[in-house]
């Protein structure tokens, strides 16, 4: 009797497991099959929508809408996570505002992707693409023109705006307001009032953009701090190339401002900005600094190759009107370049492109806090922004004295996805370390996300934000072993 009952119990258990697995697989395949592709064609046809808005209304989250070539007269509201892209590119796929007082695209959902379209005709204080209160959106390869604003993000984070052409808009080509941790990359902005404008926005990456022939300025920061302005070109703008007003602690590196009608760079009531390795040439005035104190040369020596020789020195900017000499031939001027009440102590004799920077070995090291307690294991999430390019292959975790504090899992990612992961191999060798599954670069001034699962008692920095010699680390969320949540628990670590 007992044997029969035991067999019955085993059979029942196996059946339960089989049913559970079947249910999971059913849910997975149901989810996979639920994502659909919808088509829009202004010429009509079987199984297609005539209007983009009709397709949006019919779509579910995760669906893809493909817009065929044509001209669509409408205003589109998007309140779900979907992807909209053209079939043949923005040159032949135009969306024109039916109501010029409404945005062409009005996005209020996270996870929206829009690409390959031309937007035009939103002329009454509205935008070609307006994104409000949304995260993780991607706006790319569009042409936005003849609107009041080209592309506008308000209260957004972790969005990417890239490879767009924004021209002939009344005010701003690309406008960020109250938006943090976004990336504006490789856009072209011309014949707007301002090419790109950041207002009350922090820790955004502005990289590889060209702002030219705008009616006022190229790239402007207003009341915005902690942003990274890298590898941009601002040329032939009517007033200034780069303009900072009441904006502090930003980083401007490897940019070029040329042929602007007034200033290459104008800094007003803005301080503690790091501005070096830029070219300011052939502007009416290369620089103006008013009521501001900034850092116009690197704060660490840099190793570089110049004229086939290797040197190590501090590096400033290249100024088209610099009149000093270079007696030792290292490419750095002998006397400072005067900037109103500031100065560039190490001006470059030639454009920064003529100096090949050699990678020096750096670690990202939080160090240890004065008091690492309280401590408990859990899951840490946050961001790391290095101020130097770092080669990373392993993670070291500082343990509380007398404990086995360590990390069990680590993941480093950016807006493009996961870069590398690593798992703890136990209390063997130097168990403070985790080796990543691949070596990788953490680039200067780029934003990286970390997820670290700790074990035992690691040292904890009880701050929301922690600045160290090689950059900054933040805590987005820490969930401890008791499922309590905090935003001021940073694990004490070293990336090397």
């Amino acid at each position: 009797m007992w044997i029969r009952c035991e067999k019955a119990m085993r059979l029942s258990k196996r059946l339960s497991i089989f049913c559970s697995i079947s249910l999971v697989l059913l849910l997975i395949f149901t989810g996979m099959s639920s994502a659909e592709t919808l088509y829009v064609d202004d010429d009509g046809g079987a199984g297609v929508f005539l209007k983009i808005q009709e397709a949006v209304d019919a779509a579910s989250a995760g669906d893809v809408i493909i817009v065929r070539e044509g001209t669509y007269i409408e205003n589109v509201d998007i309140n779900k996570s979907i992807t909209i892209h053209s079939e043949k590119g923005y040159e032949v796929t135009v969306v024109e505002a039916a109501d010029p007082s409404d945005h062409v695209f009005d996005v209020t959902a996270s996870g929206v992707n829009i690409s390959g379209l031309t937007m035009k005709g939103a002329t009454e204080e509205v935008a070609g693409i307006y994104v409000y209160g949304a995260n993780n959106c991607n706006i790319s390869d569009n042409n936005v023109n003849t609107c009041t604003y080209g592309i506008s993000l308000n209260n957004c984070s972790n969005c990417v705006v890239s490879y767009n052409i924004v021209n002939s808009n009344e005010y701003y080509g690309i406008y960020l307001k109250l938006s943090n941790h976004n990336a504006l990359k490789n856009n072209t902005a011309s014949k707007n009032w301002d090419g790109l404008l950041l207002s009350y926005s922090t820790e955004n990456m502005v990289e590889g953009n060209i702002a030219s022939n705008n009616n006022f300025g190229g790239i402007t920061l207003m009341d915005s701090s902690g942003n990274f302005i890298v590898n941009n070109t601002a040329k032939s703008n009517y007033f200034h190339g780069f303009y900072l007003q009441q904006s502090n602690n930003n980083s401007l590196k490897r940019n070029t401002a040329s042929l602007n009608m007034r200033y290459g760079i104008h800094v007003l009531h803005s301080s503690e900005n790091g501005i070096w390795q830029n070219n300011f040439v052939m502007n009416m005035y290369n620089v103006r600094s008013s009521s501001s104190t900034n850092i116009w040369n690197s704060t660490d020596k840099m190793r570089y190759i110049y004229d086939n020789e290797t040197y190590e020195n501090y590096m400033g900017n290249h100024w088209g009107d610099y009149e000093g000499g270079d007696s030792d031939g290292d490419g750095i001027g002998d006397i400072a370049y005067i900037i109103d009440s500031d100065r560039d102590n190490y001006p470059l004799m030639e454009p920064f492109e003529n100096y090949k920077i050699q990678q020096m070995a750096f670690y990202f090291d939080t160090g240890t806090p004065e008091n690492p307690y309280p401590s408990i294991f859990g899951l840490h999430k946050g961001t790391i922004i290095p101020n130097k390019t770092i080669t990373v292959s392993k993670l070291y975790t500082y343990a509380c004295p007398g404990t086995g504090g360590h990390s069990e899992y680590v993941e480093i990612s950016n807006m493009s996805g996961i870069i590398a992961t690593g798992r703890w191999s136990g209390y063997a060798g130097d168990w403070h370390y985790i080796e990543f599954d691949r070596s990788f670069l953490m680039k200067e001034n780029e934003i990286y996300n970390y997820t670290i699962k700790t074990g035992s008692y690691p040292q904890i920095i009880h701050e929301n934000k922690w600045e160290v010699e090689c950059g900054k680390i933040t805590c987005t969320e820490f969930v401890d072993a008791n499922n309590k949540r905090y935003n001021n628990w940073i694990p004490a670590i070293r990336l090397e």
Side-chain angles (χ1 to χ4, degrees):
M1 183 71 176
W2 166 251
I3 294 174
R4 289 179 181 175
C5 290
E6 185 180 25
K7 286 182 177 178
M9 289 172 66
R10 288 178 180 173
L11 179 62
S12 175
K13 185 175 181 182
R14 288 174 183 172
L15 183 60
S16 175
I17 293 171
F18 174 78
C19 291
S20 299
I21 294 172
S22 300
L23 179 59
V24 169
L25 291 173
L26 177 63
L27 290 172
I28 290 172
F29 286 113
T30 300
M32 289 173 64
S33 63
S34 66
E36 295 186 7
T37 300
L38 296 78
Y39 289 87
V40 182
D41 193 329
D42 64 342
D43 291 330
V48 302
F49 296 91
L50 283 170
K51 296 286 187 181
I52 300 171
Q53 186 66 63
E54 293 173 359
V56 171
D57 293 341
S60 299
D63 286 353
V64 176
I65 296 172
I66 297 177
V67 184
R68 290 176 174 160
E69 64 180 285
T71 299
Y72 301 84
I73 310 298
E74 57 180 311
N75 303 85
V76 182
D77 296 330
I78 303 174
N79 59 2
K80 59 191 75 170
S81 300
I82 57 175
T83 294
I84 300 176
H85 68 82
S86 68
E87 188 174 59
K88 295 186 177 180
Y90 65 77
E91 296 89 348
V92 294
T93 316
V94 179
V95 187
E96 184 172 352
D99 178 0
S101 66
D102 191 10
H103 310 294
V104 181
F105 281 85
D106 190 346
V107 179
T108 54
S110 296
V112 172
N113 305 299
I114 301 174
S115 64
L117 302 170
T118 289
M119 296 86 165
K120 59 191 293 187
T123 57
E124 298 179 16
E125 302 294 322
V126 284
I129 302 176
Y130 181 70
V131 186
Y132 180 78
N135 306 321
N136 302 303
C137 294
N138 191 309
I139 311 297
S140 61
D141 293 295
N142 301 289
N143 186 318
V144 188
N145 61 77
T146 61
C147 298
T148 307
Y149 306 96
I151 300 170
S152 178
L153 275 61
N154 189 335
N155 252 308
C156 296
S157 64
N158 296 311
C159 295
V160 177
V161 180
S162 62
Y163 294 99
N164 300 283
I165 297 173
V166 285
N167 58 60
S168 302
N169 297 289
E170 184 180 359
Y171 291 155
Y172 314 125
I174 299 176
Y175 180 31
L176 257 61
K177 182 179 181 181
L178 296 167
S179 295
N180 309 322
H181 303 119
N182 302 284
L184 309 181
K185 293 190 172 185
N186 303 305
N187 301 285
T188 301
S190 62
K191 298 181 181 178
N192 310 284
W193 181 253
D194 268 310
L196 290 79
L197 173 67
L198 278 63
S199 175
Y200 296 99
S201 297
T202 64
E203 294 185 355
N204 299 285
M205 172 61 73
V206 181
E207 181 179 11
N209 303 283
I210 299 174
S212 64
N213 296 291
N214 292 288
N215 298 324
F216 187 66
I219 297 176
T220 298
L221 276 63
M222 306 278 287
D223 299 283
S224 294
S225 299
N227 298 286
F228 307 99
I229 316 300
V230 182
N231 279 328
N232 301 283
T233 298
K235 64 180 181 180
S236 302
N237 297 290
Y238 186 78
F239 202 77
H240 60 257
F242 296 90
Y243 178 52
L244 280 66
Q245 179 176 318
Q246 293 182 311
S247 296
N248 307 313
N249 296 297
N250 298 285
S251 176
L252 284 79
K253 296 178 183 176
R254 299 188 294 278
N255 302 287
T256 295
S258 64
L259 300 171
N260 296 288
M261 298 292 287
R262 193 71 176 173
Y263 302 110
I265 182 169
H266 183 190
V267 186
L268 176 65
H269 297 296
S270 299
S271 294
E272 299 303 320
N273 297 288
I275 307 169
W276 61 80
Q277 283 184 279
N278 303 286
N279 300 325
F280 300 106
V281 296
M282 294 187 290
N283 305 285
M284 178 178 286
Y285 303 101
N286 283 321
V287 60
R288 182 182 179 187
S289 176
S290 306
S291 303
S292 303
T293 302
N294 292 290
I295 306 160
W296 295 90
N297 50 258
S298 64
T299 53
D300 295 308
K301 287 187 175 181
M302 306 177 71
R303 185 178 298 129
Y304 60 93
I305 297 174
Y306 173 76
D307 198 19
N308 297 318
E309 296 288 340
T310 300
Y311 300 94
E312 192 170 315
N313 203 345
Y314 300 95
M315 300 185 76
N317 302 279
H318 175 55
W319 307 95
D321 55 349
Y322 178 66
E323 297 179 349
D326 178 16
S327 59
D328 59 4
D330 66 350
I332 308 297
D334 295 331
I335 60 173
Y337 179 85
I338 304 303
I339 305 168
D340 299 308
S341 59
D342 269 349
R343 60 173 55 203
D344 178 349
N345 292 304
Y346 300 89
L348 306 182
M349 298 302 296
E350 297 185 21
F352 69 80
E353 295 92 340
N354 294 346
Y355 301 74
K356 186 177 180 181
I357 306 301
Q358 300 296 291
Q359 180 62 39
M360 300 175 73
F362 296 109
Y363 296 151
F364 184 92
D365 190 351
T366 66
T368 56
E370 185 175 340
N371 180 8
Y373 300 102
S375 173
I376 191 172
F377 57 92
L379 189 66
H380 298 262
K381 292 186 178 183
T383 63
I384 295 173
I385 307 173
N387 58 23
K388 300 175 178 65
T389 297
I390 302 169
T391 301
V392 179
S393 62
K394 55 188 176 180
L395 169 82
Y396 180 92
T397 303
Y398 291 98
C400 288
T403 76
H406 61 277
S407 291
E408 296 186 347
Y409 174 79
V410 57
E411 175 185 296
I412 303 294
S413 64
N414 60 14
M415 288 184 177
S416 299
I418 296 173
I419 298 172
T421 62
R423 295 184 182 278
W424 188 53
S425 56
Y427 287 109
D430 192 343
W431 45 264
H432 297 90
Y433 280 102
I434 285 183
E435 297 280 346
F436 284 100
D437 55 6
R438 56 185 292 266
S439 296
F440 59 96
L441 288 180
M442 295 183 74
K443 294 183 180 179
E444 174 186 359
N445 295 331
E446 292 203 5
I447 301 169
Y448 297 88
N449 304 305
Y450 70 82
T451 299
I452 298 174
K453 181 181 179 183
T454 54
S456 189
Y457 297 96
Q459 295 200 33
I460 301 296
I461 300 164
H462 290 283
E463 301 283 348
N464 175 257
K465 183 183 298 184
W466 186 252
E467 296 199 19
V468 295
E469 182 179 352
C470 274
K472 177 167 58 178
I473 183 170
T474 70
C475 171
T476 303
E477 182 183 56
F478 171 63
V479 182
D480 73 10
N482 301 312
N483 208 34
K484 293 182 179 179
R485 297 173 185 270
Y486 307 86
N487 66 355
N488 62 342
W489 284 51
I490 294 173
I493 58 170
R494 184 172 68 245
L495 292 165
E496 55 182 75

